[in-house]
Amino acid sequence: MALLPILSFPDPRLRTRAKPITHITPEIKQLAADMLETMYAAPGIGLAASQVDRHIALIVMDLSEEKNQPMIFVNPNVTPLTEETKPYEEGCLSVPQFFDQVERRAKVRINAQDLDGQPFEMEAEGLLAVCIQHELDHLDGKLFVDYLSPLKRQRIRDKLSKKGRQKSRKSEEAAVSAS
Ligand code: K1U
Ligand code: ZN
């Protein structure tokens, strides 16, 4: 098992569209296990492969209080079951420390495969519906900040870009002092 680095907005790699998974290999099973470990450690309730720089259609989620109900979605897709939308204060592990209201479809059908390649289907409302739509957006290279005003998005971009520069400067300094 391994903790994977999570890409942060505005990293352009987050805009890559994920490719469908054609064969579920041992490497993909290992990636799903590593993504769950990374999500629990963050901590978060969902993670898309795009966020760990793997551009394939794979999502993990766990909405349980005890963090003991992992869900894995291979090649997921979502069909809206209502026109109704509901707001939810969303967060994102790729947009750390920012939260904002996003309107999403209130009820959806999820179709996906499990890690044995078996297709399954479920209806989702509430947080499950919010989270799966958020994660599917990641696979399409979309982030929750894209639903915000250009001004809000630019403020978040500036703050996170500054943080990213500070982080790389610190790791360069650490590398120099270790050499
Ligand atoms: O995709 C991600 O970046 C994960 C994201 C999922 C998500 C949360 C809320 C609404 C939509 C999608 C997160 O997990 S952010 C962290 C978070 O919400 C959380 C963390 C610890 C406990 C409970 C929630
Ligand atoms: Zn996210």
Side-chain angles (χ1 to χ4, degrees):
M1 299 268 265
L3 285 181
L4 307 170
I6 299 177
L7 300 177
S8 280
F9 176 72
D11 192 312
R13 291 172 287 181
L14 285 166
R15 300 308 188 173
T16 313
R17 289 179 87 101
K19 292 199 164 64
I21 293 174
T22 49
H23 300 289
I24 300 168
T25 59
E27 288 71 27
I28 286 175
K29 291 186 180 184
Q30 184 59 52
L31 175 63
D34 291 344
M35 283 171 60
L36 278 168
E37 191 184 358
T38 304
M39 177 193 76
Y40 288 128
I45 56 172
L47 191 68
S50 324
Q51 294 177 273
V52 293
D53 205 18
R54 290 295 313 272
H55 302 286
I56 56 172
L58 179 65
I59 285 170
V60 299
M61 286 172 32
D62 189 340
L63 306 185
S64 67
E65 285 281 317
E66 300 77 19
K67 300 292 161 211
N68 59 0
Q69 289 171 41
M71 292 184 281
I72 295 171
F73 301 88
V74 173
N75 296 326
N77 68 71
V78 158
T79 314
L81 294 178
T82 173
E83 288 289 309
E84 185 198 356
T85 62
K86 280 194 176 160
Y88 191 88
E89 181 94 352
E90 296 195 13
C92 180
L93 299 177
S94 295
V95 190
Q97 279 147 36
F98 290 90
F99 299 85
D100 218 318
Q101 296 270 327
V102 177
E103 288 273 346
R104 297 196 188 266
R105 298 298 181 105
K107 192 171 180 187
V108 297
R109 178 181 298 116
I110 308 169
N111 287 90
Q113 289 161 258
D114 64 20
L115 276 183
D116 295 319
Q118 289 304 309
F120 65 92
E121 182 176 300
M122 59 170 85
E123 285 189 10
E125 291 180 83
L127 186 54
L128 179 59
V130 172
C131 197
I132 192 72
Q133 291 175 81
H134 175 112
E135 301 308 335
L136 264 189
D137 271 356
H138 277 303
L139 299 184
D140 287 335
K142 197 165 179 182
L143 300 170
F144 87 89
V145 295
D146 300 340
Y147 297 98
L148 308 181
S149 70
L151 182 62
K152 273 190 178 178
R153 193 163 50 251
Q154 190 57 44
R155 281 191 181 144
I156 296 172
R157 180 193 300 275
D158 291 346
K159 284 184 183 156
L160 290 180
S161 303
K162 192 173 166 194
K163 265 194 193 167
R165 285 196 298 274
Q166 285 168 346
K167 212 171 147 188
S168 4
R169 201 176 321 122
K170 273 191 187 152
S171 55
E172 275 166 27
E173 283 165 6
V176 168
S177 64
S179 64

